[in-house]
Short mmCIF file of all heavy atoms in Angstrom, two decimals:
data_model
loop_
_atom_site.label_atom_id
_atom_site.label_comp_id
_atom_site.label_asym_id
_atom_site.label_seq_id
_atom_site.Cartn_x
_atom_site.Cartn_y
_atom_site.Cartn_z
N GLU A 11 3.03 -10.55 -15.22
CA GLU A 11 1.89 -10.09 -16.03
C GLU A 11 0.60 -10.08 -15.20
O GLU A 11 -0.21 -9.15 -15.30
CB GLU A 11 1.72 -11.00 -17.25
CG GLU A 11 2.80 -10.83 -18.31
CD GLU A 11 2.72 -11.90 -19.39
OE1 GLU A 11 1.97 -12.89 -19.20
OE2 GLU A 11 3.41 -11.76 -20.41
N ARG A 12 0.42 -11.10 -14.38
CA ARG A 12 -0.78 -11.16 -13.55
C ARG A 12 -0.78 -10.06 -12.50
O ARG A 12 -1.83 -9.47 -12.22
CB ARG A 12 -0.91 -12.54 -12.90
CG ARG A 12 -1.03 -13.69 -13.89
CD ARG A 12 -1.68 -14.92 -13.29
NE ARG A 12 -1.01 -15.44 -12.13
CZ ARG A 12 -0.03 -16.34 -12.16
NH1 ARG A 12 0.43 -16.78 -13.34
NH2 ARG A 12 0.51 -16.81 -11.05
N VAL A 13 0.38 -9.80 -11.92
CA VAL A 13 0.47 -8.72 -10.92
C VAL A 13 0.15 -7.38 -11.56
O VAL A 13 -0.60 -6.58 -11.01
CB VAL A 13 1.88 -8.70 -10.28
CG1 VAL A 13 2.04 -7.47 -9.40
CG2 VAL A 13 2.11 -9.97 -9.45
N ARG A 14 0.72 -7.14 -12.73
CA ARG A 14 0.50 -5.87 -13.43
C ARG A 14 -1.00 -5.66 -13.71
O ARG A 14 -1.55 -4.58 -13.47
CB ARG A 14 1.30 -5.91 -14.74
CG ARG A 14 1.60 -4.59 -15.36
CD ARG A 14 2.66 -4.74 -16.45
NE ARG A 14 3.99 -4.71 -15.89
CZ ARG A 14 4.85 -5.73 -15.89
NH1 ARG A 14 4.51 -6.88 -16.44
NH2 ARG A 14 6.04 -5.60 -15.36
N ALA A 15 -1.66 -6.71 -14.20
CA ALA A 15 -3.08 -6.60 -14.51
C ALA A 15 -3.92 -6.43 -13.25
O ALA A 15 -4.86 -5.63 -13.21
CB ALA A 15 -3.53 -7.85 -15.28
N HIS A 16 -3.58 -7.18 -12.20
CA HIS A 16 -4.33 -7.09 -10.95
C HIS A 16 -4.18 -5.71 -10.32
O HIS A 16 -5.17 -5.11 -9.87
CB HIS A 16 -3.84 -8.16 -9.98
CG HIS A 16 -4.49 -8.11 -8.64
ND1 HIS A 16 -5.78 -8.52 -8.41
CD2 HIS A 16 -4.02 -7.66 -7.44
CE1 HIS A 16 -6.09 -8.36 -7.14
NE2 HIS A 16 -5.03 -7.84 -6.54
N ALA A 17 -2.97 -5.18 -10.30
CA ALA A 17 -2.75 -3.87 -9.69
C ALA A 17 -3.50 -2.78 -10.44
O ALA A 17 -4.10 -1.89 -9.83
CB ALA A 17 -1.25 -3.56 -9.67
N ALA A 18 -3.50 -2.86 -11.76
CA ALA A 18 -4.24 -1.86 -12.55
C ALA A 18 -5.73 -1.94 -12.27
O ALA A 18 -6.42 -0.91 -12.15
CB ALA A 18 -3.97 -2.09 -14.04
N GLU A 19 -6.25 -3.16 -12.15
CA GLU A 19 -7.67 -3.33 -11.87
C GLU A 19 -8.05 -2.76 -10.50
O GLU A 19 -9.04 -2.04 -10.36
CB GLU A 19 -8.04 -4.81 -11.94
CG GLU A 19 -9.51 -5.10 -11.68
CD GLU A 19 -9.84 -6.57 -11.75
OE1 GLU A 19 -8.92 -7.39 -11.92
OE2 GLU A 19 -11.03 -6.91 -11.62
N VAL A 20 -7.25 -3.08 -9.48
CA VAL A 20 -7.54 -2.58 -8.14
C VAL A 20 -7.40 -1.07 -8.09
O VAL A 20 -8.24 -0.37 -7.51
CB VAL A 20 -6.61 -3.25 -7.10
CG1 VAL A 20 -6.77 -2.60 -5.73
CG2 VAL A 20 -6.91 -4.75 -7.00
N ALA A 21 -6.34 -0.53 -8.71
CA ALA A 21 -6.16 0.93 -8.71
C ALA A 21 -7.32 1.63 -9.41
O ALA A 21 -7.74 2.72 -9.00
CB ALA A 21 -4.84 1.28 -9.40
N GLY A 22 -7.86 0.99 -10.43
CA GLY A 22 -8.96 1.61 -11.18
C GLY A 22 -10.26 1.69 -10.40
O GLY A 22 -11.12 2.52 -10.72
N SER A 23 -10.41 0.86 -9.37
CA SER A 23 -11.64 0.88 -8.58
C SER A 23 -11.37 1.18 -7.11
O SER A 23 -12.21 0.89 -6.25
CB SER A 23 -12.35 -0.48 -8.70
OG SER A 23 -11.52 -1.53 -8.23
N ALA A 24 -10.20 1.75 -6.82
CA ALA A 24 -9.80 1.97 -5.43
C ALA A 24 -10.73 2.95 -4.72
O ALA A 24 -11.17 3.95 -5.30
CB ALA A 24 -8.37 2.48 -5.38
N ARG A 25 -11.02 2.66 -3.46
CA ARG A 25 -11.87 3.52 -2.64
C ARG A 25 -11.08 4.30 -1.61
O ARG A 25 -11.55 5.34 -1.14
CB ARG A 25 -12.93 2.67 -1.91
CG ARG A 25 -13.79 1.83 -2.82
CD ARG A 25 -15.01 1.28 -2.09
NE ARG A 25 -14.69 0.51 -0.91
CZ ARG A 25 -14.52 -0.82 -0.90
NH1 ARG A 25 -14.61 -1.50 -2.04
NH2 ARG A 25 -14.25 -1.46 0.22
#
Side-chain angles (χ1 to χ4, degrees):
E11 288 171 349
R12 298 202 302 271
V13 172
R14 200 167 276 115
H16 177 74
E19 181 181 4
V20 172
S23 59
R25 303 194 304 268

